Amino acid sequence: MLEKTEERKSQKGGGKKRRHPGEDGGGEKKKKAGDQGEEGEKGQRDAGRKRLDAMSVGYFRRVGERLGEGFEDNEEREMFVENVLTEVKGKANLVAMDRTGSITLQRLLPLSSLEQVGEVLAELGGESGSEFKAVCCDRCGGHVVESAVRQMSRWESSQKDASPTTEEEEEEEEESCGVLEAQVLSLSQVVRNNSAEFIRHVHGSHVVRTLLHVLGGCIGPPRTEARPGAKERNVAPQLTDFEIPTSFWYELKNLTETLMENVNLSVTDAVASAVFQTMLTVCHRKRPKLCKQLLKRIMEYLMSRSSAPGVSPLLVFLKDQASSHLLETIVQLSHKSLLRDLYKNHLKGQLVDLALHPIANFPIQRLTAALAKHKLFPRLFDELVQGVEAILAAGHMGVIVQLAESCAESGEKQDEMMQCLLHAFHCAEPGSRHVSCLPLFMSLLTYEIYYHSDTAEGNIQTEVPLTSICYHGSRLVQALAKFKERSLLLSSLRTLSPADLLSMASDPAGSHVLQALITTASDKGRGKILKRLEGQYVQMACSRLGSRVLEAVWTSASVSHRQSIAQELVPSENQLRSDQFARHVWAKFALSHFVHRRAHWQEIQTGESKKRKLFSDILE
């Protein structure tokens, strides 16, 4: 295997079709990469540093291709890894800072032993660790260092797998694991000595964030798998906990102490702010007492800044791009007393203005979510509800959705929220407009705009097909569906035409609304909605989203409702069995049994229904 690789290496030609930035010294490639204006990066690239030769680049490209093919057994994999790392030895920095070499090393390190990873990291850092800074702050090298540090998550399992039988073997195993542990600590020392530069650097900061995760003993998905363009503010990355050496426990405290010396950067620099957010998140998960101290110190710093007389400095920070993200994290992780202080002494009376601000509205959403569990929520609600129409007009729907979700979670202010929305969408008066609320909420349009009339009355839904369901409108109605009183929404749903209901079921946003309303309704209310859906079940079953709604409805439906659905679906057996989505519906609903063994089908469905009711009673 490796012999063939070496043969191909010696036969390698000069011409390359694929572009690999950093393989040669051409300025055109560097300009195209542009380094996107990253500070310090252009200087590094233009400094004429030594680069990996073309033959080595070709070798590592082929290694990458071989890794993609997989291995027959562990012995073959271990031999391959050892041979490749032999090629890396002596030029690890050049390989790590080359694009092709970096990608290959990132894929190779998870297959390497912890001792091998430690040796690579030791070469990257040099004898005293002084070379870590240059590698970590390189756009390619930083990824390699992160990948190496992340391998510490295998520390506990490697010790268990080794199962040494003699004292000598145990010492050897501890020593091999200790190589990587020592290098991670060495890296942390370098970061502490150059903390201000690291946390402000676009690439170096990511190494610090990975280091914080590893020292804390929790890790998320690799950065290379993330989608750079994705903006998911509400979705936190899933973290996996793992055992760490005792030395990491103390080093995390040392690193956080050093980072706190640069707390000023957390509110002026967006990159540094992200590091502080990671630090707080990790500590909140693994070292709650330490997190509490850090939160207190950061808040003391923020409140000590000068501002206009009588105005809290937090109001300035909430409107800043960098510091607002940090404050979002602080609000999400704060304990009750800190939240109370934040609201009473800094934000009370300012909530509507902040909710109208293009940046500050996001921390206000987090505050609304955090206070849902506390007695302060009604006071926050009473203040925010005064500006609902203005917030809607500003397009900051996240604030309105979160307010509704917090009402659902707390169980308070639900009637006031519903009345406020009816007025905001101009369907509170006259009472005949109440039945129009659902399409208005889902489309986020007022009555007059939706129906194109100032005096529109009567059976107008048939004139305006349901087409404009939006994401935030869907989330708003899903929150309202959790309210104790849902009669207005259900009445409005029952006025929609069967065609509109089918449109909802097949719409990415609408399908979630229909599912929420049907599954949370009483048996009687569900029956009325299903009556409106009759004649649409086959089309729903043949739709990617509609089939999911139908399956959710089936799960919550009574036996008689299931029988009605089955009777409508069975005549279209051939169509359902041949459709990519409907065939799953046919199997899940056991419709073959329904056709050929009706009594047995009835018995199974009755048993499931009783079991579901039993579990429901236990949960209640």
Side-chain angles (χ1 to χ4, degrees):
M1 174 187 61
L2 282 169
E3 286 77 6
K4 288 181 183 176
T5 307
E6 290 305 324
E7 279 177 32
R8 291 171 65 189
K9 177 182 171 183
S10 62
Q11 293 167 6
K12 177 68 183 168
K16 304 184 197 63
K17 290 184 180 177
R18 290 167 64 193
R19 285 176 297 171
H20 291 269
E23 286 178 16
D24 53 50
E28 185 180 340
K29 295 270 175 75
K30 284 181 282 181
K31 273 187 191 173
K32 189 158 187 180
D35 300 328
Q36 298 174 4
E38 291 152 355
E39 196 175 333
E41 188 74 5
K42 187 177 178 185
Q44 288 177 8
R45 292 195 164 269
D46 292 341
R49 73 175 183 209
K50 192 177 176 185
R51 298 187 182 281
L52 199 62
D53 61 275
M55 190 174 288
S56 295
V57 169
Y59 169 75
F60 286 109
R61 186 182 299 128
R62 291 194 301 278
V63 169
E65 290 167 0
R66 178 67 187 86
L67 286 171
E69 296 169 11
F71 301 94
E72 289 182 8
D73 52 45
N74 289 342
E75 189 180 345
E76 183 185 7
R77 187 198 69 214
E78 287 168 9
M79 184 175 72
F80 182 83
V81 169
E82 189 177 340
N83 285 343
V84 175
L85 289 178
T86 302
E87 287 291 318
V88 172
K89 200 165 186 178
K91 52 183 176 185
N93 290 56
L94 290 178
V95 176
M97 292 193 275
D98 174 84
R99 185 179 177 185
T100 303
S102 170
I103 293 169
T104 302
L105 268 182
Q106 288 171 61
R107 296 175 63 191
L108 193 73
L109 289 172
L111 304 178
S112 310
S113 69
L114 294 191
E115 184 176 12
Q116 288 171 325
V117 176
E119 287 170 357
V120 171
L121 209 50
E123 187 177 337
L124 290 175
E127 283 187 22
S128 61
S130 57
E131 293 177 39
F132 270 133
K133 186 179 168 188
V135 182
C136 293
C137 294
D138 180 82
R139 69 182 328 170
C140 298
H143 284 280
V144 174
V145 175
E146 283 184 68
S147 182
V149 170
R150 287 173 59 85
Q151 302 315 311
M152 274 307 301
S153 60
R154 292 154 45 199
W155 179 72
E156 183 189 21
S157 59
S158 72
Q159 290 188 315
K160 286 179 180 175
D161 294 343
S163 305
T165 53
T166 67
E167 193 175 316
E168 190 178 326
E169 285 179 11
E170 190 173 348
E171 285 177 8
E172 284 178 14
E173 183 59 32
E174 284 179 5
E175 189 179 331
S176 65
C177 293
V179 174
L180 181 55
E181 178 186 344
Q183 289 307 312
V184 172
L185 294 173
S186 175
L187 172 63
S188 185
Q189 177 69 54
V190 172
V191 169
R192 284 194 279 129
N193 292 342
N194 304 273
S195 56
E197 291 174 74
F198 264 96
I199 66 175
R200 283 184 298 181
H201 195 281
V202 70
H203 304 308
S205 63
H206 280 286
V207 174
V208 181
R209 291 163 69 179
T210 300
L211 187 60
L212 284 163
H213 275 119
V214 169
L215 291 175
C218 59
I219 205 156
R223 182 159 65 102
T224 48
E225 293 176 13
R227 288 170 53 210
K231 289 185 179 179
E232 297 186 12
R233 299 182 67 99
N234 298 321
V235 182
Q238 292 296 314
L239 297 177
T240 305
D241 296 323
F242 60 91
E243 287 295 321
I244 55 171
T246 310
S247 59
F248 283 15
W249 189 259
Y250 298 104
E251 185 58 29
L252 179 63
K253 182 77 166 66
N254 294 336
L255 183 56
T256 55
E257 279 296 324
T258 306
L259 291 178
M260 285 303 295
E261 293 170 10
N262 300 291
V263 66
N264 60 307
L265 296 176
S266 71
V267 292
T268 57
D269 189 287
V271 175
S273 173
V275 174
F276 275 78
Q277 291 166 58
T278 300
M279 176 182 75
L280 292 173
T281 305
V282 168
C283 291
H284 182 262
R285 185 182 180 94
K286 306 295 288 188
R287 303 279 295 276
K289 286 185 179 177
L290 177 58
C291 180
K292 201 170 181 180
Q293 294 168 11
L294 295 172
L295 286 169
K296 183 181 177 184
R297 288 169 63 183
I298 292 172
M299 287 300 292
E300 283 173 356
Y301 170 79
L302 294 175
M303 289 182 246
S304 69
R305 300 299 89 193
S306 59
S307 62
V311 177
S312 168
L314 287 188
L315 298 179
V316 178
F317 292 126
L318 283 165
K319 296 174 183 178
D320 178 76
Q321 189 73 54
S323 54
S324 66
H325 284 289
L326 179 64
L327 279 166
E328 278 187 63
T329 303
I330 290 172
V331 168
Q332 285 175 302
L333 306 180
S334 287
H335 43 282
K336 190 192 297 185
S337 59
L338 186 54
L339 284 172
R340 191 189 303 119
D341 175 67
L342 191 62
Y343 173 69
K344 286 186 174 180
N345 300 326
H346 301 278
L347 305 180
K348 189 178 177 183
Q350 305 290 332
L351 294 183
V352 174
D353 286 342
L354 292 169
L356 292 171
H357 193 274
I359 293 172
N361 78 88
F362 291 105
I364 295 305
Q365 292 177 44
R366 304 294 166 264
L367 182 68
T368 305
L371 288 181
K373 308 171 188 122
H374 302 297
K375 292 179 182 178
L376 276 175
F377 176 70
R379 292 166 67 178
L380 174 136
F381 176 89
D382 290 340
E383 186 176 335
L384 268 181
V385 80
Q386 304 299 320
V388 164
E389 287 203 51
I391 295 167
L392 281 168
H396 297 164
M397 271 310 300
V399 178
I400 307 299
V401 170
Q402 186 56 65
L403 197 59
E405 288 178 348
S406 293
C407 287
E409 185 182 345
S410 67
E412 299 189 66
K413 299 290 184 179
Q414 293 181 358
D415 292 339
E416 290 95 324
M417 184 72 200
M418 183 61 82
Q419 288 302 315
C420 174
L421 289 171
L422 291 175
H423 281 97
F425 287 91
H426 304 171
C427 56
E429 299 292 340
S432 58
R433 290 189 176 188
H434 286 182
V435 292
S436 305
C437 68
L438 184 60
L440 302 183
F441 293 166
M442 289 193 297
S443 59
L444 297 181
L445 298 172
T446 60
Y447 189 92
E448 294 80 12
I449 295 173
Y450 188 89
Y451 292 119
H452 312 293
S453 170
D454 290 335
T455 57
E457 295 290 344
N459 187 23
I460 199 159
Q461 281 84 343
T462 55
E463 299 171 26
V464 185
L466 190 65
T467 54
S468 56
I469 306 172
C470 65
Y471 166 76
H472 278 111
S474 170
R475 279 192 57 204
L476 174 63
V477 179
Q478 288 176 67
L480 298 176
K482 297 173 188 170
F483 282 16
K484 294 168 190 169
E485 179 54 59
R486 302 183 293 271
S487 57
L488 274 180
L489 293 175
L490 294 171
S491 298
S492 184
L493 183 68
R494 289 194 291 270
T495 63
L496 296 179
S497 68
D500 281 345
L501 291 173
L502 182 61
S503 295
M504 275 183 74
S506 307
D507 183 88
S511 60
H512 291 287
V513 172
L514 188 60
Q515 183 175 320
L517 290 173
I518 294 178
T519 54
T520 56
S522 63
D523 277 350
K524 186 178 178 182
R526 190 180 299 116
K528 290 179 181 178
I529 300 168
L530 294 178
K531 190 77 177 168
R532 300 283 292 171
L533 275 169
E534 285 179 2
Q536 310 294 326
Y537 293 135
V538 173
Q539 284 177 275
M540 281 179 69
C542 294
S543 159
R544 180 173 67 89
L545 298 167
S547 62
R548 292 180 188 174
V549 176
L550 194 56
E551 287 182 22
V553 169
W554 182 271
T555 303
S556 61
S558 64
V559 177
S560 60
H561 292 150
R562 287 185 177 189
Q563 195 160 344
S564 300
I565 295 170
Q567 282 173 337
E568 184 178 319
L569 291 174
V570 161
S572 304
E573 178 176 356
N574 290 337
Q575 181 184 349
L576 296 177
R577 280 176 171 274
S578 61
D579 184 85
Q580 61 175 324
F581 305 116
R583 67 183 181 209
H584 298 294
V585 171
W586 182 274
K588 188 168 185 179
F589 295 2
L591 296 182
S592 293
H593 277 291
F594 182 80
V595 175
H596 303 294
R597 301 168 66 189
R598 181 74 61 91
H600 182 55
W601 182 90
Q602 188 92 17
E603 188 181 325
I604 292 171
Q605 302 305 320
T606 304
E608 284 186 8
S609 180
K610 285 179 180 176
K611 192 187 292 183
R612 194 171 63 252
K613 188 176 187 305
L614 177 66
F615 277 118
S616 177
D617 292 342
I618 291 170
L619 290 171
E620 286 174 5

